[in-house]
Amino acid sequence: MSEKKQLQTLLTTTDYRPPEGFAAFPTAIHHASTVLFKNVGALRARNWQDKQSYTYGLHGTPTTFTLEARLAEIEGGEHCLLAPSGLAAISMIDLALLKTGDDVLLPDNVYNPNREMGDWLTRDFGISTRYYDPLIGEGITELIRPNTRLIWTEAPGSVSMEMPDIPAICRGARAKHVPVALDNTWAAGLAFRAFDYGVDIVMQALTKYHSGGSDVLMGAVITRDRELHRKIEMAHMRLGMGVSADDTYLVLRGLPTMKLRFDAHDQAAREIAAWLKQRPEIAKVLHPAFDDCPGHLIWKRDFSGAGGLFSVLFDPRFTEEQTDRFIDSLKLFKIGYSWGGANSLAVPYRIAQMRRAWTEAGQLVRFNIGLEDARDLINDLEQALKVLT
Ligand SMILES: *Cc1c(COP(=O)(O)O)cnc(C)c1O
């Protein structure tokens, strides 16, 4: 372009191109709504589902395609779609696979917003939602109806920590041709190879370990089967599930250190859980690596690690008021939801109100063990437990 442009146009556009050949480890952050085509022919020929090219920011940029490809590799899948949060990934799976008149099965210990979604589908969308005992195993087959279209699993349930037999549930589901979705956030896609155990759809809250920074919300859906992927991709497009390029960069930045962090969380959490287990104030340690935890042997058989999240049940002699005071007395542990970040957290849950069937007595408190030194965290717990006596 040689003609002279007006200043306002110069402020808006440029023909300058930086030199080719720049190489560096980080993926570039591509901000884009509009994607440019060379000519009308290229625009007409472009297919939004073809990940070898670009059509519109919402359908992907080099930044988001890179994270999707890397997550699929990490989980042992083929396809991946990003969503603006873990919960958005859950709802995208539901809306892709369920319609009025269908039936979905959820474990009774499912992540509570997933349960809220299920209840909404029932109330307003004519989809029946039924809750099953997370330890049901292959017995899931008997619950499957002709209109059952999806079975959710979570390993373990992220508050009460029962560990389901995923391969047995998948066998039962496969016999009736119903896809199984797994919320694999607890194991981060590192400690459990979901697809090798028969899972069809993996959902991740990247908000947790992938990010590791307590500063970004994102989710992902990973599949091996192309047809399942296509269905979820249509829901992704129709719902406009775009993610921010900057947030995507933050998640990409966390990947190289994720396993180092996960293993450090795991080691410290087991040390702290073992310390809590021998305390008289604690009735049970709900951590899959400990035999208090239902499904402990399944964890041992199928998982290679545990991460930093676990719960405890206090001795039933302590009231909610007392255990709340214990949490308020913690100094290093902070009070807050979410997990997978560098800082340790403690949260009380009124578990009996969250479940159809809960028979355990005692107050439940969930811990996220961060990356502080475990000895300091134990000292913090020890001083806070003193308010109980
Ligand atoms: C946090 C979490 C989610 C949802 O992730 P968000 O990004 O917070 O929406 C889903 N499942 C589990 C098990 C989680 O812990």
Side-chain angles (χ1 to χ4, degrees):
M1 261 185 260
S2 54
E3 328 92 80
K4 214 161 167 293
K5 296 283 194 311
Q6 299 301 315
L7 180 58
Q8 181 56 35
T9 305
L10 289 175
L11 286 168
T12 317
T13 184
T14 178
D15 291 332
Y16 175 76
R17 294 284 170 273
E20 297 277 330
F22 178 79
F25 286 115
T27 305
I29 303 173
H30 291 271
H31 289 110
S33 48
T34 299
V35 171
L36 300 178
F37 301 91
K38 221 165 46 206
N39 51 44
V40 177
L43 179 143
R44 291 197 196 281
R46 202 66 61 82
N47 169 10
W48 68 270
Q49 286 173 303
D50 174 12
K51 295 203 175 188
Q52 300 307 310
S53 60
Y54 307 98
T55 45
Y56 186 53
L58 202 49
H59 307 315
T61 65
T63 317
T64 58
F65 281 1
T66 301
L67 180 56
E68 287 177 349
R70 295 196 60 188
L71 293 171
E73 269 175 22
I74 291 167
E75 296 271 350
E78 291 289 330
H79 314 282
C80 175
L81 292 158
L82 301 175
S85 68
L87 184 55
I90 290 170
S91 63
M92 183 166 75
I93 294 168
D94 283 345
L95 293 173
L97 300 182
L98 301 171
K99 62 180 186 320
T100 302
D102 288 347
D103 176 65
V104 54
L105 289 164
L106 281 90
D108 194 34
N109 62 352
V110 76
Y111 174 66
N112 216 50
N114 191 341
R115 188 184 200 103
E116 174 60 39
M117 180 71 193
D119 292 345
W120 189 35
L121 294 176
T122 297
R123 212 168 46 241
D124 290 353
F125 296 88
I127 293 163
S128 72
T129 305
R130 290 177 296 140
Y131 295 92
Y132 66 87
D133 174 355
L135 300 175
I136 196 167
E138 206 162 342
I140 196 88
T141 318
E142 281 136 50
L143 295 182
I144 296 173
R145 294 174 178 165
N147 63 335
T148 304
R149 293 286 174 267
L150 177 63
I151 297 170
W152 270 103
T153 57
E154 192 175 318
S158 56
V159 174
S160 50
M161 297 288 160
E162 301 93 336
M163 179 58 81
D165 189 336
I166 296 290
I169 291 175
C170 290
R171 275 196 304 278
R174 184 133 310 172
K176 303 258 174 94
H177 310 289
V178 181
V180 173
L182 169 69
D183 183 334
N184 201 20
T185 305
W186 185 82
L190 299 174
F192 184 61
R193 310 299 302 159
F195 291 110
D196 295 344
Y197 288 88
V199 168
D200 300 289
I201 303 164
V202 168
M203 172 259 145
Q204 278 291 347
L206 308 175
T207 307
K208 309 292 164 50
Y209 292 117
H210 294 72
S211 140
S214 309
D215 56 356
V216 59
L217 290 152
M218 201 176 293
V221 180
I222 300 136
T223 47
R224 272 187 180 169
D225 182 83
R226 192 175 165 80
E227 204 173 311
L228 263 179
H229 168 69
R230 284 296 186 212
K231 278 189 188 168
I232 299 164
E233 188 179 44
M234 289 309 289
H236 183 266
M237 181 271 284
R238 287 168 176 152
L239 292 164
M241 290 271 185
V243 299
S244 120
D246 292 310
D247 288 352
T248 305
Y249 179 80
L250 289 176
V251 176
L252 281 164
R253 199 169 196 269
L255 295 184
T257 59
M258 178 164 69
K259 187 163 187 315
L260 298 174
R261 290 184 279 109
F262 186 85
D263 291 346
H265 288 294
D266 186 358
Q267 197 185 332
R270 288 198 222 193
E271 196 178 326
I272 291 161
W275 183 85
L276 283 164
K277 191 166 159 61
Q278 48 81 42
R279 291 291 305 198
E281 298 91 342
I282 302 300
K284 278 191 178 171
V285 171
L286 303 176
H287 182 308
F290 288 73
D291 58 10
D292 288 352
C293 192
H296 161 65
L297 292 175
I298 295 166
W299 173 81
K300 229 167 136 173
R301 185 191 67 192
D302 296 345
F303 284 65
S304 61
L309 192 76
F310 70 92
S311 300
V312 297
L313 288 171
F314 277 79
D315 187 286
R317 73 177 183 275
F318 299 115
T319 62
E320 179 178 287
E321 200 186 355
Q322 285 178 294
T323 54
D324 283 0
R325 200 136 45 81
F326 156 76
I327 296 173
D328 279 335
S329 306
L330 291 164
K331 296 188 172 89
L332 260 182
F333 281 88
K334 304 300 174 194
I335 302 165
Y337 292 108
S338 205
W339 42 279
N343 298 95
S344 291
L345 300 168
V347 185
Y349 282 91
R350 288 176 172 153
I351 186 74
Q353 294 178 15
M354 294 160 63
R355 301 289 291 273
R356 279 191 326 168
W358 182 259
T359 52
E360 299 279 350
Q363 302 299 319
L364 187 146
V365 175
R366 188 180 77 174
F367 296 105
N368 165 58
I369 303 304
L371 297 173
E372 307 92 339
D373 193 302
R375 288 166 296 188
D376 291 325
L377 293 170
I378 287 172
N379 287 340
D380 192 25
L381 291 166
E382 188 164 29
Q383 65 78 24
L385 283 172
K386 290 201 176 107
V387 303
L388 293 176
T389 52

